[in-house]
Every structure is written in structure tokens, then in C-alpha cells.
């Protein structure tokens, strides 16, 4: 079985989205410079392809001008991948015990 | 209320896939429009900044999608990487070669100040040489697919923009600074009168009008030709890249010879255009400056149409 890959940017997005659903620009603002406006939607699109996030357009009031914004939230699978990666990171960060103590 | 992004949305709808439009362009445009509506209407600068930041983010996203989506095949990626590496190497070599003659006349040690001042005059000439040979070597032995051609031409447009900015602003300032530095080192003081290459586009235009009103047709033509030539030379990157991609052979030797002949032909056509428009005044200065580009475009069209008519003939004549 292939282990799902999770880049640092994807991990950050999943961490930010695990609190609440957000728009792309909100993610950029909340990331404090780690996410860029020019790449956030490319990454979100890729994450949607992988099944980590799902998205839908916001409901606009009648007569609203402009395009509707897109909201994002993590899927159950995305949260499981994040949890697995966090567990792996914690396991690797633990100091090694000597074998023959 | 006018809302930004409509033109970009129409453009994106034409050139992007449905998926890219829906997932990348439209959400980014929606953010831009929301921010624009939320900004204080009286703050023109704030709104201008929102539009610039939003547009550059969307264009960047579109470029990333164009490269990652359309260049899926490994061979195409290899061809583009090879083209990029060859273009950079030949650009650097051509820049060094073009810098040597002016630096050789400098007495004493060559300072970094001279190098910085001379670089802008070498760059606009070195870029088209790098582009022509880079595409020729990088694409050798490979067929230019539609997506590779599209990316090479987009890169050539970018190279043309860099060339134009250098020709319009950096080269005149650099040349004049170099002449003044050399004059100062030789003990001369005071401002130096600018030559054609030291003038900005507005100065060339103004001098052409002054010379024409004074009745000096020859001088007016020289200023006008220099003015138009800056635009034409910047566009050369796109013309040369397009020519090599469309017309070039698959064989590396033929491509290399072709690129060399192409650069020499372009160089000869520059002088022909200048001669015909400035000294003989048989063609307008605009046409004289654009002659190399026009000749190459016409040649490419003739070659491609004769190839396709030969192909059609062979299909018709093929035994069933």
C-alpha cells in the first residue's frame, strides 16, 4: 500500500482547516506569510485531487456583484492523513533508547 | 459599480482548462473582488494595490497550472529543461563576448563599475542569441509538441519584456554612465552629449521631431529608426524562438547551423533595414526597423505552408 504523501504546505493547510472551514485568502492571512496568494489555490486544488479537502462556493445574496468565493474544509481522509503524519513526526522526534541497556 | 477581474476571467476562460478555471482562477478572482469591494472607495492607492496584488497572484497561479498541467510527459519536461539550460549558458557566453570589446579599450584595471554600466547594452543582444541557440540545442532530436511550443513562446514573451525594459531604461542610463566614467578617468569633466544609444525612447522621439522640423531628414530618420528598433529588437526573442521551433529540423547539426545562420541573417537584415530606411529612405523607418522580424515571419509562413502542402500531396498520392 502506498503511504499518502503530505507536503509541509499541505500539512499547514490541513492544520489551519481543522479548526474551521475557510476561504483561500483567510488561509493566507492565518498562515502569517507561510502561504502565498499565488500558490494557495494551486495547492488546494491538488489537495482536492488527493481527497484531503473538499470545497464549495459560498451562497451569495440575490443581486450580489462578482464571483462567489470558495470555501474549504478537510475531509475525514485528510484529517486521518494529518493525524498519521503527526504521529509519525512525534515517533521520530522521540530520543532513541539504547538496545542493550 | 465597476469590479475588477472581468477581462482576466474572460481570458482565463479561453486559455485555461475548466478545472483550473473553477478551482484556481475563479476563487482567486472572487477574493480580489471581495477585497476590492471592502476597500475604502476614496483610497485609490489601496484599491490599485489590491488589483495589482490580486492580478499578479492569479497570473502566477495560471502560469504554474500551465506548466504543471500541460507538461505532463517526461520527455517534454526534459526538452524544456534542456532548452532553459542551453539558453542560459549561451546567454552568459554571448554577454561575456559582447562585453569584451568595450572593456578592452578601458585603460588600467577594469572595475566592477564599468561592468555594471556596460551590462545593459550586452543583455538585449545576448538574450535573442541565447533564445535562438537554446531552443535549437534544447529541442534537438525532439519534436516540438503543442504544449512545449506554447511554453517556449510564453518564455520568449517574458524574454522580450526583459529585453524591452533593458532597451528602454537600463541601456541608455548604463551607456551614458559608462561614457562619463571613461571621460572622467581620462581627465575630462562636464556633461557629455548623448548619442542614439544613450537616449531614452521619449528623448529619441523628441529629437526626431526636432530634426524633422529643422529639415534634417537624415538625422530625423536616424532618431526614428533607433526609436522603432528598440521595440523590434525586444520582439526578436519571440520571432527567433517561434522560427526555430516551427521551422527547425530534428537533427542537432542542422538545428545548430540553422540557429547560426538565423542570427547572422538577422544581424544582416538589421543593417539592410537601417540602410533602406535611414540612408536611402526607400522604406519608412518603422518598416526598416522591423524588417528582420517581418522577413523571418514571412519566411516561416512560406516554409510551413510549403511543408503542409507537400504533406497533403503525399497523403493524396499514397497508394491505397
Amino acid at each position: 500500500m502506498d503511504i499518502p504523501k503530505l507536503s509541509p504546505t499541505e500539512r499547514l493547510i490541513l492544520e489551519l482547516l481543522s479548526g474551521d472551514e475557510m476561504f483561500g485568502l483567510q488561509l493566507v492571512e492565518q498562515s502569517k506569510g507561510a502561504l502565498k496568494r499565488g500558490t494557495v489555490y494551486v495547492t488546494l486544488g491538488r489537495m482536492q485531487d488527493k481527497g484531503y479537502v473538499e470545497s464549495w462556493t459560498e451562497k451569495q445574496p440575490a443581486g450580489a456583484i462578482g464571483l462567489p468565493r470558495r470555501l474549504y474544509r478537510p475531509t475525514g481522509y485528510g484529517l486521518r492523513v494529518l493525524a498519521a503524519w503527526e504521529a509519525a513526526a512525534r515517533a521520530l522526534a522521540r530520543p532513541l533508547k539504547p538496545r542493550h541497556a | 459599480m465597476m469590479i475588477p477581474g472581468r477581462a482576466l476571467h474572460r481570458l482565463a476562460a479561453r486559455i485555461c482548462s475548466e478545472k483550473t478555471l473553477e478551482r484556481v482562477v475563479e476563487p482567486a478572482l472572487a477574493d480580489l473582488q471581495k477585497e476590492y469591494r471592502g476597500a475604502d472607495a476614496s483610497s485609490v492607492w489601496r484599491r490599485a494595490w489590491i488589483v495589482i496584488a490580486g492580478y499578479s497572484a492569479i497570473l502566477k497561479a495560471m502560469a504554474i497550472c500551465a506548466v504543471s498541467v500541460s507538461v505532463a510527459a517526461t520527455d517534454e519536461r526534459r526538452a524544456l529543461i534542456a532548452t532553459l539550460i542551453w539558453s542560459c549558458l549561451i546567454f552568459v557566453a554571448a554577454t561575456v563576448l559582447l562585453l569584451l570589446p568595450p572593456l578592452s579599450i578601458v585603460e588600467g584595471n577594469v572595475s566592477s563599475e564599468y561592468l555594471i554600466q556596460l551590462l545593459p547594452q550586452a543583455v538585449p543582444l545576448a538574450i535573442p542569441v541565447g533564445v535562438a541557440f537554446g531552443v535549437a540545442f534544447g529541442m534537438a532530436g525532439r519534436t516540438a509538441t503543442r504544449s512545449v511550443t506554447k511554453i517556449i513562446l510564453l518564455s520568449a514573451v517574458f524574454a522580450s519584456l526583459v529585453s524591452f525594459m533593458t532597451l528602454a531604461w537600463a541601456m541608455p542610463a548604463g551607456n551614458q554612465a559608462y561614457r562619463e566614467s571613461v571621460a572622467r578617468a581620462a581627465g575630462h569633466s562636464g556633461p557629455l552629449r548623448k548619442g542614439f544609444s544613450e537616449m531614452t525612447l521619449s528623448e529619441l522621439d523628441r529629437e526626431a521631431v526636432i530634426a524633422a522640423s529643422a529639415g534634417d531628414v537624415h538625422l530625423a530618420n536616424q532618431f526614428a529608426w533607433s526609436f522603432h528598433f528598440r521595440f523590434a529588437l525586444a520582439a526578436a526573442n519571440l520571432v527567433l524562438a517561434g522560427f526555430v521551433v516551427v521551422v527547425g529540423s530534428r537533427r542537432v547539426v542542422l538545428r545548430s547551423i540553422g540557429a547560426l545562420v538565423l542570427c547572422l541573417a538577422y544581424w544582416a537584415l538589421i543593417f539592410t533595414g537601417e540602410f533602406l530606411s535611414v540612408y536611402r529612405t526607400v522604406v519608412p523607418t518603422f518598416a526598416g526597423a522591423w524588417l528582420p522580424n517581418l522577413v523571418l515571419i514571412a519566411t516561416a509562413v512560406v516554409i510551413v505552408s510549403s511543408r503542409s502542402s507537400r504533406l497533403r500531396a503525399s497523403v493524396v498520392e499514397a497508394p491505397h
Side-chain angles (χ1 to χ4, degrees), chain A residues 67-86:
Chain A
L67 293 160
R69 290 188 295 168
R70 189 165 276 272
L71 274 158
Y72 295 87
R73 73 169 164 225
T75 59
Y77 175 66
L79 289 174
R80 276 169 58 202
V81 171
L82 176 66
W85 274 84
E86 280 173 347

Side-chain angles (χ1 to χ4, degrees), chain B residues 84-155:
Chain B
L84 182 70
I85 292 170
W86 274 114
S87 298
C88 291
L89 286 174
I90 291 160
F91 163 73
V92 172
T95 307
V96 171
L97 282 175
L98 288 164
L99 283 175
L100 287 177
L103 286 177
S104 65
I105 60 164
V106 174
E107 288 173 7
N109 289 337
V110 175
S111 69
S112 57
E113 186 192 353
Y114 287 146
L115 271 176
I116 292 166
Q117 290 164 348
L118 284 170
L119 205 58
Q121 69 158 271
V123 165
L125 292 171
I127 294 178
V129 175
V131 166
F133 278 93
V135 176
F137 293 156
M139 296 302 297
R142 295 177 170 110
T143 309
T145 59
R146 211 174 156 179
S147 46
V148 167
T149 305
K150 201 163 77 179
I151 290 168
I152 286 177
L153 293 181
L154 276 172
S155 310

